[in-house]
Amino acid sequence: MIRVDTRPRKRNSHRADAERRFPQHLQWLRGRPCLIEGRAGHVCTGRMEASHSDADGSKGMGLKAHDFTAVPLCRGAHEEKDRIGLLTWQAKYGVNHAEAGREYGRKSPHRARWADIDGAPR
Ligand SMILES: [Zn+2]
């Protein structure tokens, strides 16, 4: 008899998630201007945050996207993105969250941290 385990995969998720976290990069991002500052009349509000895209294909099995695809957003921009949805938000401001995130990943002073990860920004 073949048993199929239909429970959500949890065993490796903690470790897999830890490999996607680069706290120093996120701290650096929070020191950058908001990605959409001045676009489509956006006025920044609140503190700076690091925003993760959930539509770049790297999120799956309950894992949050890699930190190296995050972008800096003020709290107001971050909340609006979550409220109206990524695609609508991107169209409104003329930005691509995933592409912009990879560009920040390339410019990060901490990019050596993900040098050995396949598909990471270089
Ligand atoms: Zn803003």
Side-chain angles (χ1 to χ4, degrees), residues 80-96:
E80 185 186 29
K81 185 202 82 171
D82 290 342
R83 187 174 66 249
I84 70 177
L86 178 66
L87 297 181
T88 304
W89 183 87
Q90 289 186 145
K92 179 176 179 180
Y93 294 107
V95 294
N96 182 303

Side-chain angles (χ1 to χ4, degrees), residues 7 9 12 19 24 39 47 82-83 87 111:
R7 292 171 301 175
R9 273 213 235 164
N12 294 320
E19 289 167 353
Q24 290 172 309
R39 285 177 173 263
R47 62 191 295 178
D82 290 342
R83 187 174 66 249
L87 297 181
R111 60 189 177 277

